Structure formats: C-alpha cells, structure tokens
Amino acid sequence: MKQGIKRTLFAISGTLVALNVIAQWTSINVPTKNNLNSISLPEENYGWIVGDKGTMLYLDKDSWVSYPAVTDQNLYSVCLLNESDGWAVGSRGTILQLKDKSWIKASSPTRQDLYSVTFSAAGIGYAAGNNGTFLCYRNGIWEKAEPFVPG
C-alpha cells in the first residue's frame, strides 16, 4: 500500500515539475527602452507591438524590429485584422491604419486619449478612451458613437 502511494505521489510531482517548466515566461530583447503598451499576434510569426512616443515594433522571423515613427504620440492599443490591415490608437485621438504593410495616420473625430481598439468579424471597428469617448468605424470613417457616456 505504501509503495502505491509513493508511486502516485512521485507521478504527480513529476507532472507538476513538467507543467512548471512548460509555463515559464522568458525575457525577449526589443530595440527600445520606451514603455510597450499593446501587442497583436494574429499568427505565430507575425505581429506588432505599440508603445510610448510612437514606438512600433514588428516581428521579423524570431526578432522584434523597430518601425519608423509615424507619430510622436503614445500608442496604447493595436489590433491586426491580417498581415496587411490593422489599426492602432493612442493619445490625443491618434488613429493609425496599417495598409499594405505600411502605417499611415487616419482622420480622428476626437482629441481624447484612446486606450483600446478592436474590430468585429463583420469589419466594424470600435475604439474607447477618456471621458466616455466611444468611436465606431464603418464605411471607411471613424465617428463618435451615440449615446455619449460621461466619465
């Protein structure tokens, strides 16, 4: 009986050790000291990171590479729809669009900080930010969504 309990405990402890080894976070070198605020990885070998002072990094094979600054504003959120289409939002109403693997500034209906951006499967976009700011993207235009939610 004692031998059976010892085997069971040994098997459980071995499983826990194996799980502990698998679930480790590791540090990855990136070419910036700026704060990094959001990451989007639609595929294992493709993705973008955005951060303070307009920092944008993209995954090139196994390493992160700096992308030339499109803005000097802090970027708080990034959402990729596929390899050549995506969005990033940030301070002072900054909205950037990824078109054909290049980031460009998009027109914004607000100067409030935007902290989050996402898109539905139907291609409708939403961004949220300071003071109840809520934007909707339809038919190629970002607009303030109604009703306005204070605070």
Side-chain angles (χ1 to χ4, degrees), residues 61-98:
K61 298 179 185 167
D62 294 333
S63 61
W64 290 97
V65 178
S66 290
Y67 185 83
V70 177
T71 181
D72 61 353
Q73 299 298 318
N74 294 340
L75 298 171
Y76 299 121
S77 182
V78 61
C79 174
L80 298 177
L81 308 175
N82 57 52
E83 273 193 42
S84 60
D85 192 14
W87 296 89
V89 297
S91 61
R92 297 175 137 183
T94 299
I95 301 175
L96 303 178
Q97 182 179 14
L98 179 64

Side-chain angles (χ1 to χ4, degrees), residues 1-79:
M1 181 70 169
K2 287 183 182 181
Q3 197 66 8
I5 292 172
K6 285 182 183 178
R7 285 187 191 137
T8 302
L9 289 175
F10 181 74
I12 290 172
S13 66
T15 301
L16 292 176
V17 169
L19 288 175
N20 191 28
V21 171
I22 292 170
Q24 293 294 317
W25 286 93
T26 59
S27 180
I28 297 173
N29 290 326
V30 293
T32 186
K33 296 291 183 194
N34 292 337
N35 291 332
L36 301 175
N37 302 319
S38 180
I39 185 170
S40 182
L41 289 165
E43 297 175 21
E44 185 178 340
N45 296 317
Y46 178 76
W48 286 86
I49 297 174
V50 298
D52 289 356
K53 300 177 184 172
T55 301
M56 300 184 92
L57 309 174
Y58 64 94
L59 188 58
D60 183 24
K61 298 179 185 167
D62 294 333
S63 61
W64 290 97
V65 178
S66 290
Y67 185 83
V70 177
T71 181
D72 61 353
Q73 299 298 318
N74 294 340
L75 298 171
Y76 299 121
S77 182
V78 61
C79 174

